[in-house]
Amino acid sequence: MQTIKVLVANRPRLMRELVLATISDQPDIEVVGVLEEEAAILESVERAKPDFLIVALDPSEERPHICDALLERFPQVRILALAAERNSSIFYWATLDIHSNRIENSEEGILTVLRGRKALSSLEQDTKWVPRPN
Amino acid sequence: MTTVVEKIPVFLLAENRLLREALARILNKKSDITVVGAAPYSVAVLEQIAAVSPQVLLLDPYPAVRGEAPLVTVLRNAIPGLKIVMIGMNPDKEFFLQAVREGIAGYMLKDASAVEMAAAVRSVANNQAICPAELCQTLFDCVALQHPAFPTFQSKQHFGLTRREQQLVAMISRGFTNKEIAVSFGLSEQTVKNHVHRLLHKLGASDRLAAVEMCRGNSFLPA
């Protein structure tokens, strides 16, 4: 069975532990790394080649800074940004631009997004990275 | 012979569904803790909590709830003996002191782990309080300032200072700003300014320094 590789790098610590508690015992999901600091994300993605990266979503709900740099270099990676305080999370992916979709911040919501990885892969064909105009 | 461990009933009150679900699963794995309910805040949640009689309530006071200041008081009045632990908090001195005044049993910062959360549940159930090391000094300062060594009778007779004004002049003498005094007393900064204005007027002092010197000169404050 092909597993879904996930790199977990969200904050704060409790939310990171809760994500790990949710996904680590799923047979089709493999946690390829856990990071406490965002600074190491690019290097870890290059090394571990995850399908998904999980980061924190700030209360402002602005797109996390790591999205642009990461998706430019690794457009095949999907990013799930989880809010610690609110009951919402945002899912980012790249085709010709960065897209996002709001999901419910729940165990079911996270697992649905991670397992929907293949459904999105059809969107990736014949696409290349084009930076967004400022 | 097997020993039956009495489990601590816990309720999770949090907006974030992931937090409720995953934390409940983690806590339920502990042999001495059972999560008897979990819900986001709503007007009906009080009845829901009371119905399951938790001993400990873990409260994630997300912004929508923070506006409703008396929530902790309301919960404690509705469920006598309930131990409330605020989780996911910032080290905000003002908010911390306000929460202590309302009667919380524990205050946990954002970087606390699930293991620490379980330990906190056990502690408060055992009548211990949980206070982050970063905020202990704030609590000590606040308590120390509630009872300043000040000759109440003399100062009242001499200058007609109220108890609050006596507390104020003692704090001013220790270099506290209006904002810091406001945090300690749970008052607005404007209210403290008004108190200070009246204090200066009663003493006939031109500024804070003069007020302190005047009280020291009359032995109402230690030199």
Side-chain angles (χ1 to χ4, degrees):
Chain A
M1 179 172 61
Q2 195 178 356
T3 57
I4 302 157
K5 294 180 176 179
V6 182
L7 177 63
V8 181
N10 64 318
R11 292 171 282 109
R13 181 174 161 188
L14 178 64
M15 290 304 292
R16 190 164 58 245
E17 290 182 355
L18 298 184
V19 168
L20 287 169
T22 299
I23 66 174
S24 59
D25 56 355
Q26 301 294 323
D28 56 339
I29 295 175
E30 179 190 356
V31 177
V32 293
V34 181
L35 301 176
E36 291 182 13
E37 300 294 334
E38 286 194 352
I41 286 179
L42 284 174
E43 185 190 330
S44 295
V45 168
E46 188 157 26
R47 182 170 32 80
K49 297 183 171 46
D51 299 305
F52 271 91
L53 166 69
I54 297 181
V55 293
L57 181 66
D58 286 339
S60 66
E61 300 204 347
E62 286 179 10
R63 187 161 80 201
H65 293 306
I66 192 69
C67 283
D68 294 65
L70 187 85
L71 292 176
E72 186 171 5
R73 281 182 62 185
F74 308 100
Q76 74 283 6
V77 175
R78 308 298 184 217
I79 300 173
L80 184 54
L82 300 182
E85 289 190 328
R86 290 178 171 76
N87 196 29
S88 68
S89 296
I90 301 180
F91 170 45
Y92 297 94
W93 72 95
T95 53
L96 292 175
D97 198 349
I98 295 177
H99 303 268
S100 65
N101 198 4
R102 195 172 286 272
I103 63 161
E104 187 178 30
N105 208 349
S106 65
E107 291 191 316
E108 186 185 358
I110 291 173
L111 292 173
T112 300
V113 167
L114 297 184
R115 288 176 175 143
R117 171 74 177 83
K118 284 183 181 173
L120 282 161
S121 63
S122 61
L123 294 170
E124 295 175 41
Q125 294 173 4
D126 302 323
T127 60
K128 62 177 183 178
W129 172 261
V130 178
R132 283 196 316 179
N134 289 325
Chain B
M1 191 179 84
T2 56
T3 307
V4 178
V5 178
E6 197 168 325
K7 295 190 173 190
I8 304 164
V10 175
F11 195 99
L12 304 180
L13 182 56
E15 171 72 4
N16 191 321
R17 186 175 154 191
L18 173 64
L19 190 149
R20 295 196 307 270
E21 291 175 343
L23 187 56
R25 211 148 48 80
I26 290 172
L27 292 177
N28 276 330
K29 285 181 182 172
K30 311 293 179 191
S31 60
D32 56 345
I33 296 173
T34 179
V35 176
V36 293
Y41 178 74
S42 70
V43 287
V45 81
L46 204 62
E47 283 181 17
Q48 196 180 337
I49 297 169
V52 293
S53 304
Q55 188 178 355
V56 178
L57 183 133
L58 296 181
L59 169 64
D60 181 20
Y62 45 94
V65 175
R66 280 177 196 165
E68 304 191 17
L71 177 64
V72 170
T73 311
V74 170
L75 284 164
R76 292 183 70 235
N77 287 341
I79 307 162
L82 179 66
K83 307 283 187 180
I84 299 174
V85 179
M86 284 187 162
I87 62 173
M89 304 305 297
N90 289 315
D92 179 325
K93 293 178 183 176
E94 194 169 346
F95 196 86
F96 166 70
L97 288 177
Q98 184 58 36
V100 171
R101 285 190 192 96
E102 288 179 18
I104 57 160
Y107 193 90
M108 303 199 70
L109 300 180
K110 278 183 173 179
D111 58 358
S113 68
V115 170
E116 289 167 334
M117 212 68 75
V121 167
R122 294 183 188 109
S123 295
V124 298
N126 201 27
N127 288 323
Q128 295 173 348
I130 300 295
C131 176
E134 296 95 315
L135 292 167
C136 279
Q137 191 61 50
T138 301
L139 196 56
F140 289 177
D141 286 344
C142 183
V143 173
L145 293 167
Q146 299 295 314
H147 304 287
F150 200 67
T152 307
F153 176 73
Q154 283 183 38
S155 58
K156 187 170 183 180
Q157 191 181 47
H158 216 85
F159 292 119
L161 299 186
T162 63
R163 179 174 168 73
R164 179 65 89 198
E165 288 160 352
Q166 294 164 34
Q167 291 173 326
L168 268 180
V169 77
M171 293 179 79
I172 290 169
S173 74
R174 295 171 66 176
F176 280 77
T177 64
N178 284 350
K179 189 172 183 180
E180 289 167 332
I181 295 169
V183 170
S184 294
F185 286 157
L187 301 172
S188 73
E189 196 174 347
Q190 186 55 50
T191 303
V192 172
K193 279 182 185 171
N194 293 341
H195 279 306
V196 172
H197 180 77
R198 277 195 294 274
L199 170 71
L200 297 181
H201 181 74
K202 283 184 181 178
L203 293 172
S206 55
D207 55 29
R208 300 158 77 93
L209 185 60
V212 170
E213 287 304 314
M214 196 170 288
C215 288
R216 281 190 177 138
N218 284 280
S219 302
F220 299 157
L221 279 175

